[in-house]
Amino acid sequence: MHLARRLELLGSHRDVPPSVADGLHDARRQALDAANKLRTVARDLRPPALDELGLVPALSSLAVDESTSVENTTINLSVHGDVVRLSPDLELAAFRIVQESVRNALRHAHARYVRVDVNFSPDELHLVTTDDGRGFREAVDSSHPAPQEISSMGIVGMRERARLMNGVLRIRSTPGVGTRVEATLPLVLAHDATAFGEASQRA
Ligand SMILES: Nc1ncnc2c1ncn2[C@@H]1O[C@H](COP(=O)(O)OP(=O)(O)O)[C@@H](O)[C@H]1O
Ligand SMILES: [Mg+2]
């Protein structure tokens, strides 16, 4: 039985003095908090939808979740090409890059419209997030981060994830107009990743 439920039953027992019942009540709340935090941490490590359903459904639910967190911003996801399951590493990198770019658009840009384009081409996965928000000054396509990039890890993290997948991340932002974050990642299919994994285990 769930710990919180056991604590609740103990606390409601008629032989339990009120002070002990209060303590059990607090303990029950803490158990529920801990369970919730654990669920969030587990989901943040790797969103379950990613493994179960793949990148596109995971991005659809991200778009829904993120747009309910703000008012007056529309998030539009548009998928092009033949959707295929990708290697777990690539799916996670792609998901995290889109997640961060969308969160940045919602948190910093005050955009009215955020658009995510996902394009599956035979060789590449192409992810583009555009917003019509306030924009910012950044180091365009430079390997040197702009000052505001250094203080925070979001953009640095997106670049690093793209690099680890042998891809590139480009940001173009125009103050007053909006921002475009574009990741181009070489396609690694799910079954190629398995074959590679098995081959490297045998080696
Ligand atoms: N889409 C955007 N529109 C406007 N400003 C942005 C956008 N994305 C990033 N920025 C600016 O770049 C900074 C760095 O972003 P990031 O590295 O993700 O860190 P954080 O989100 O933690 O501040 C932000 O603080 C913000 O000033
Ligand atoms: Mg950020």
Side-chain angles (χ1 to χ4, degrees):
M1 196 193 299
H2 191 285
L3 176 61
R5 179 80 187 121
R6 284 174 65 175
L7 293 169
E8 188 186 349
L9 287 178
L10 280 173
S12 61
H13 199 278
R14 69 186 143 79
D15 298 337
V16 171
S19 60
V20 176
D22 284 353
L24 287 169
H25 184 78
D26 285 351
R28 174 178 174 272
R29 226 195 35 243
Q30 285 172 21
L32 286 175
D33 279 358
N36 277 337
K37 280 191 188 125
L38 192 60
R39 213 170 292 129
T40 309
V41 167
R43 197 189 54 212
D44 283 356
L45 283 177
R46 195 169 177 100
L50 209 51
D51 288 330
E52 286 156 22
L53 306 169
L55 179 62
V56 170
L59 289 179
S60 302
S61 79
L62 171 80
V64 172
D65 290 352
E66 293 292 332
S67 55
T68 54
S69 73
V70 288
E71 275 178 25
N72 304 325
T73 306
T74 305
I75 304 176
N76 207 320
L77 173 69
S78 171
V79 180
H80 319 264
D82 291 332
V83 176
V84 283
R85 287 300 303 263
L86 306 167
S87 78
D89 285 0
L90 181 55
E91 287 191 339
L92 184 62
F95 180 87
R96 291 290 182 225
I97 288 170
V98 173
Q99 182 180 46
E100 177 61 19
S101 60
V102 167
R103 285 185 176 166
N104 276 351
L106 299 180
R107 263 172 67 197
H108 305 300
H110 305 293
R112 276 177 309 145
Y113 188 64
V114 180
R115 182 189 164 109
V116 177
D117 283 284
V118 180
N119 188 11
F120 289 81
S121 78
D123 307 326
E124 285 172 350
L125 178 68
H126 193 219
L127 309 161
V128 184
T129 303
T130 19
D131 71 62
D132 63 354
R134 66 180 185 195
F136 69 113
R137 294 193 186 284
E138 33 60 66
V140 176
D141 292 350
S142 157
S143 52
H144 303 292
Q148 68 265 55
E149 290 189 21
I150 295 170
S151 59
S152 44
M153 293 308 292
I155 293 174
V156 174
M158 287 194 284
R159 285 197 197 287
E160 186 61 10
R161 284 187 189 277
R163 197 185 62 80
L164 288 171
M165 291 290 116
N166 300 314
V168 283
L169 186 100
R170 294 190 185 85
I171 299 176
R172 290 191 192 277
S173 190
T174 312
V177 176
T179 300
R180 174 187 163 96
V181 177
E182 176 183 1
T184 307
L185 311 172
L187 213 70
V188 183
L189 298 177
H191 59 79
D192 290 350
T194 313
F196 178 76
E198 283 167 2
S200 62
Q201 269 171 21
R202 279 199 301 271

